[in-house]
């Protein structure tokens, strides 16, 4: 049987502390029975897909999105159906597409908020529409909130669990982003489900038995969680948000000076953004993958081709970097684009 969660010196267990932490933003109280500890959010993703896998099952994933979902679904033989995020609408979910894709075998709708790789933060109203759509098509929502609270634009972070009375929600998260400790590998899989859909005996039993098979994070890391959550000062979070706001502004400003790259929506959260690559302005670049390989070779700057996250001829740029290093990297991208620009554009 799986070992019980470690406790801090005051006796508070990691699951109790995470339940209390997440409940601060919800209109209902979570209990320790709702919380399961994972080795980072990646394991939480795998568990969520494994729990829902069955013959002929399909899962609705965002495009662009986080590729681990596709890998987990393929391993579990769950069909993937992609719905688009709409750049012209701040990367909102194409809800019409979601309804068109869903059928009686759809087991979950995945959303990532704040968004990776797009840097979007969904409004309360849009999340409510997502919840209503999921209810209408008869599926649950997997809410990937690993970047929870890393919002620095006009939209505040709203957890999907707020709409748990409308639709059952599995909330995924971790310490890695908000507390900047990715190497600790402590995440959570949480049933934010006040209507108790997941409380059916067979469902609870299946979840608990699956977690009995998994190795959790080291107990000394678990024991530190109550201290981390309760004693991290607000100034730490504020500094992180201020830094991300600054570096995202730097990204947007520098990108405006690169003719072949266009940012359709200024990031409002997380640590990355998607920009459109205009291949027609470049002389000897065939696609986004070619662009990234040649950029790495010629300028020692590494960014992710959009194809890797589901959008051909787009680029994913991470702005979680030292401002001076970020400026230098973007200037190298500009020089690279100028060097490869079609002859009629080189004067720019």
């Amino acid at each position: 049987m799986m070992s019980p969660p470690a406790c801090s010196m005051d006796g508070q267990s990691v699951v109790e502390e995470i339940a209390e932490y997440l409940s601060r933003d919800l209109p209902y109280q979570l209990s320790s029975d709702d919380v399961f500890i994972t080795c980072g959010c990646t394991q939480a993703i795998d568990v969520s897909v494994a729990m829902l896998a069955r013959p002929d099952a399909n899962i609705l994933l965002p495009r662009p999105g986080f590729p681990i979902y596709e890998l987990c679904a393929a391993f579990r033989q769950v069909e993937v159906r992609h719905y688009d995020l709409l750049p012209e609408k701040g990367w909102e979910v194409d809800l019409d597409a979601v309804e068109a894709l869903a059928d009686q075998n759809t087991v979950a709708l995945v959303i990532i908020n704040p968004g990776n790789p797009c840097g979007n933060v969904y409004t309360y109203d849009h999340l409510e529409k997502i919840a209503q759509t999921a209810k209408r098509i008869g599926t649950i929502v997997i809410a990937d909130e690993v970047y929870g609270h890393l919002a620095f634009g006009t939209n505040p972070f709203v957890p999907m669990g707020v709409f748990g009375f409308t639709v059952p929600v599995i909330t995924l998260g971790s310490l890695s982003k908000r507390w900047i400790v990715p190497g600790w590998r402590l995440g959570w899989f949480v049933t934010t489900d006040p209507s108790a859909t997941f409380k059916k005996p067979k469902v609870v039993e299946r979840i608990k038995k699956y977690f009995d098979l998994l190795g959790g994070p080291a107990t000394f890391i678990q024991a530190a969680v109550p201290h981390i959550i309760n004693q991290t000062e607000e100034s730490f979070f504020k500094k992180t948000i201020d830094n991300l706001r600054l570096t995202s502004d730097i990204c947007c400003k520098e990108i405006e000076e690169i003719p072949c790259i266009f940012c359709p929506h200024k990031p409002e959260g997380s640590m990355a953004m998607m920009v459109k690559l205009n291949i027609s302005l470049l002389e000897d670049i065939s696609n986004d993958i070619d662009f990234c390989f040649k950029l790495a070779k010629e300028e020692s700057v590494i960014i992710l081709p959009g194809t890797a996250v589901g959008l051909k001829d787009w680029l994913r740029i991470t702005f979680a970097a030292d401002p001076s290093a970020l400026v230098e990297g973007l200037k190298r991208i500009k020089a690279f684009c100028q060097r490869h620009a079609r002859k009629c554009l080189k004067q720019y």
Side-chain angles (χ1 to χ4, degrees):
M1 181 176 290
M2 183 174 62
S3 300
C7 293
S8 63
M9 293 182 67
D10 61 4
Q12 187 86 330
S13 74
V14 59
V15 291
E16 290 171 331
E17 195 57 58
I18 291 171
E20 182 63 34
Y21 165 70
L22 294 177
S23 296
R24 297 174 192 173
D25 298 316
L26 299 174
Y28 53 89
Q29 186 70 33
L30 296 172
S31 76
S32 58
D33 291 336
D34 297 312
V35 179
F36 300 87
I37 304 305
T38 60
C39 290
C41 197
T42 298
Q43 189 180 59
I45 292 170
D46 184 52
V47 171
S48 66
V49 176
M51 287 293 94
L52 299 168
R54 58 174 172 76
D56 301 320
N58 66 74
I59 189 168
L60 307 184
L61 301 181
R63 180 173 52 207
F66 186 50
I68 292 296
Y69 284 95
E70 280 87 347
L71 292 174
C72 292
F75 185 71
R76 306 293 177 183
Q77 296 183 312
V78 175
E79 179 192 353
V80 168
R81 298 182 180 180
H82 288 105
Y83 64 86
D84 289 326
L85 302 182
L86 305 173
E88 68 277 10
K89 293 186 176 181
W91 299 105
E92 286 187 349
V93 173
D94 184 343
L95 295 173
D96 291 337
V98 167
E99 295 215 41
L101 288 167
D103 61 20
Q104 70 275 12
N105 291 317
T106 300
V107 293
L109 164 64
V110 175
I111 66 163
I112 305 174
N113 181 52
N116 176 26
C118 301
N120 54 288
V121 178
Y122 291 140
T123 64
Y124 181 99
D125 288 344
H126 188 60
L127 290 170
E128 185 175 35
K129 289 176 182 177
I130 291 172
Q132 291 168 346
T133 301
K135 180 180 180 180
R136 198 155 48 245
I137 64 177
T139 194
I140 70 168
V141 175
I142 297 174
D144 185 328
E145 296 175 356
V146 71
Y147 289 96
H149 292 281
L150 292 184
F152 45 82
T154 55
N155 298 333
F157 167 67
V158 177
M160 191 69 204
V162 165
F163 306 99
F165 285 106
T166 302
V167 63
V169 178
I170 294 174
T171 298
L172 313 181
S174 80
L175 290 180
S176 64
K177 304 301 189 295
R178 193 182 187 202
W179 286 271
I180 323 292
V181 285
W184 283 46
R185 307 301 302 152
L186 188 140
W188 48 82
F189 169 109
V190 181
T191 54
T192 38
D193 172 39
S195 298
T197 302
F198 295 118
K199 291 296 190 292
K200 296 176 182 177
K202 287 186 178 180
V203 176
V204 172
E205 182 182 0
R206 186 179 183 191
I207 294 174
K208 288 184 175 179
K209 282 187 175 180
Y210 193 81
F211 273 94
D212 282 343
L213 297 173
L214 303 178
T219 52
F220 76 87
I221 293 175
Q222 294 187 46
V225 169
H227 179 91
I228 291 169
I229 289 177
N230 290 319
Q231 298 191 36
T232 301
E233 296 181 358
E234 282 301 317
S235 59
F236 173 85
F237 299 129
K238 183 179 184 302
K239 182 179 180 181
T240 300
I241 292 297
D242 289 345
N243 286 341
L244 290 173
R245 184 183 295 112
L246 170 64
T247 54
S248 68
D249 287 345
I250 289 172
C251 256
C252 291
K253 180 182 177 182
E254 295 293 332
I255 285 169
E256 286 178 356
E257 299 181 9
I258 306 175
C260 65
I261 297 177
F262 169 68
C263 176
H265 181 72
K266 185 176 180 181
E268 297 181 292
S270 78
M271 301 177 178
M273 62 191 294
M274 291 293 289
V275 296
K276 184 76 173 77
L277 179 64
N278 190 342
I279 293 293
S280 67
L281 300 181
L282 300 172
E283 195 163 59
D284 55 350
I285 303 292
S286 57
N287 54 43
D288 56 318
I289 296 176
D290 190 35
F291 180 97
C292 291
F293 270 110
K294 289 178 178 175
L295 176 66
K297 182 177 181 180
E298 296 177 24
E299 296 288 350
S300 299
V301 174
I302 297 175
I303 56 178
L304 190 69
T307 298
V309 293
L311 279 190
K312 179 178 170 57
D313 291 341
W314 286 70
L315 305 168
R316 178 188 183 270
I317 298 178
T318 301
F319 51 82
D322 178 80
S324 60
L326 188 61
V327 169
E328 173 63 23
L330 289 163
K331 288 190 180 303
R332 292 189 188 190
I333 294 174
K334 181 179 179 181
F336 173 84
C337 291
Q338 288 175 333
R339 190 162 60 250
H340 289 273
R342 292 190 179 276
K343 291 183 175 63
C344 61
L345 300 172
K346 286 193 182 289
Q347 65 265 34
Y348 298 104

